[in-house]
C-alpha cells in the first residue's frame, strides 16, 4: 500500500517520508512559489470505501506538520487542486464522489463538488451550485487557473445528465477525453452560462460567452 508523502532536498537522490501515511492516494501537489515550506495536497483517500483521511491538506513547514483545510465527506476526496499563478493565495479544489470495488465501481454523486479559497486555504466557498453549472450530480472534475488571464479558471466536468452515464450535449467542446465536456469559469465569479465553455466577468456580476475571444 502507498504510505504517504515524500520529500527530497537533494534533487531526488534521497527521499524522506513526511506523513499523510493513511491517505492511500495523492492526486495533486501544489507548492507556494514564494515560500516552499507552504505545501498543499489534494487527497482522494481510499477508493474502496468511506474514509476520513481525504480532502485538501496544507503544511506550512515543508511537510513536518499537516492540517486538513478542506473536507467534504467520507465519501468524496479531493481529486484536483489549482493555485492561481497570479495570486498563490487563491486556490481551486474539486472533490470526487467515487467508489471502486473488485466487482464494479461508480463515478459521481452528490458530494462531487468545486471549491475556491481566497486566503490560502483558511476558508473555502463552494461553487458547485452556482447558476449555469449542471444541476445533476457531478463526476470527476478537473480545475485549472489560467496563467494567461488572472480572472479565468477552467473546469473539466463529468456530469450525469444522461441518466447515470456521462453525456456531451450539442455545443460541447471536444477535449480529447470521452464524455467530458469542458467549462470555463472566469473573473472568479459566481455564475455560469451556456454553452459548455463559459466566462464569469466582473466577479460574478454577469455572465458572458467566451466565444468572442
Amino acid at each position: 500500500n502507498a504510505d504517504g508523502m515524500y520529500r527530497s532536498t537533494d534533487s531526488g537522490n534521497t527521499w524522506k517520508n513526511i506523513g499523510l501515511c493513511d491517505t492511500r492516494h495523492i492526486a495533486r501537489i501544489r507548492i507556494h512559489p514564494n515560500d516552499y515550506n507552504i505545501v498543499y495536497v489534494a487527497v482522494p483517500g481510499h477508493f474502496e470505501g468511506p474514509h476520513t483521511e481525504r480532502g485538501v491538506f496544507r503544511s506550512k513547514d515543508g511537510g513536518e506538520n499537516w492540517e486538513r483545510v478542506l473536507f467534504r465527506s467520507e465519501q468524496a476526496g479531493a481529486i484536483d487542486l489549482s493555485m492561481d499563478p497570479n495570486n498563490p493565495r487563491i486556490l481551486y479544489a474539486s472533490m470526487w464522489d467515487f467508489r471502486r470495488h473488485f466487482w464494479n465501481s461508480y463515478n459521481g454523486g452528490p458530494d462531487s463538488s468545486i471549491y475556491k479559497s481566497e486566503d490560502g486555504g483558511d476558508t473555502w466557498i463552494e461553487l458547485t451550485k452556482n447558476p449555469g453549472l449542471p444541476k445533476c450530480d457531478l463526476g470527476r472534475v478537473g480545475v485549472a487557473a489560467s496563467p494567461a488571464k488572472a480572472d479565468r479558471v477552467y473546469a473539466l466536468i463529468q456530469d450525469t445528465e444522461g441518466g447515470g452515464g456521462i453525456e456531451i450535449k450539442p455545443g460541447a467542446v471536444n477535449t480529447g477525453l470521452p464524455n467530458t465536456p469542458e467549462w470555463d469559469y472566469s473573473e472568479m465569479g459566481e455564475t455560469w452560462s451556456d454553452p459548455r465553455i463559459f466566462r464569469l466577468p466582473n466577479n460574478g456580476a454577469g455572465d458572458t460567452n467566451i466565444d468572442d475571444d
Side-chain angles (χ1 to χ4, degrees):
N1 290 333
D3 61 350
M5 282 277 293
Y6 282 78
R7 177 185 180 185
S8 174
T9 57
D10 56 9
S11 301
N13 289 318
T14 60
W15 294 84
K16 175 186 176 183
N17 187 291
I18 55 172
L20 302 180
C21 296
D22 193 35
T23 54
R24 184 71 66 85
H25 300 92
I26 292 175
R28 195 76 67 202
I29 302 169
R30 300 297 182 193
I31 302 173
H32 195 291
N34 303 319
D35 186 348
Y36 298 155
N37 285 315
I38 300 177
V39 184
Y40 302 90
V41 179
V43 176
H46 295 191
F47 287 161
E48 295 78 15
H51 188 217
T52 58
E53 291 297 308
R54 54 183 15 140
V56 176
F57 291 77
R58 177 180 65 187
S59 175
K60 294 183 177 181
D61 54 13
E64 294 297 323
N65 297 279
W66 295 93
E67 59 178 329
R68 189 175 60 192
V69 293
L70 178 61
F71 179 74
R72 173 71 183 200
S73 73
E74 293 185 2
Q75 308 299 326
I79 193 62
D80 205 0
L81 180 64
S82 181
M83 178 182 290
D84 190 329
N86 303 285
N87 182 352
R89 288 180 60 79
I90 296 177
L91 303 164
Y92 295 88
S94 60
M95 313 298 279
W96 189 20
D97 192 332
F98 174 83
R99 191 71 67 249
R100 182 176 63 202
H101 303 292
F102 292 111
W103 59 93
N104 69 354
S105 64
Y106 76 81
N107 175 15
D111 286 340
S112 288
S113 45
I114 307 171
Y115 288 85
K116 173 187 176 183
S117 175
E118 298 179 340
D119 53 15
D122 289 338
T123 61
W124 295 81
I125 304 167
E126 186 176 357
L127 309 178
T128 319
K129 302 302 182 183
N130 287 354
L133 282 173
K135 292 182 173 59
C136 60
D137 290 342
L138 304 182
R140 184 169 181 166
V141 178
V143 290
S146 171
K149 283 201 171 187
D151 57 3
R152 180 166 296 177
V153 176
Y154 294 93
L156 194 65
I157 300 177
Q158 290 180 324
D159 67 58
T160 56
E161 287 180 341
I166 304 299
E167 177 183 40
I168 294 183
K169 293 186 174 180
V173 171
N174 182 2
T175 62
L177 297 176
N179 303 325
T180 311
E182 185 179 75
W183 301 65
D184 172 23
Y185 170 86
S186 76
E187 305 290 344
M188 305 176 196
E190 301 298 333
T191 58
W192 303 70
S193 59
D194 287 332
R196 288 273 168 134
I197 295 187
F198 310 96
R199 181 197 310 167
L200 303 184
N202 304 323
N203 225 11
D207 51 329
T208 304
N209 189 300
I210 68 166
D211 289 345
D212 57 352
D213 60 3

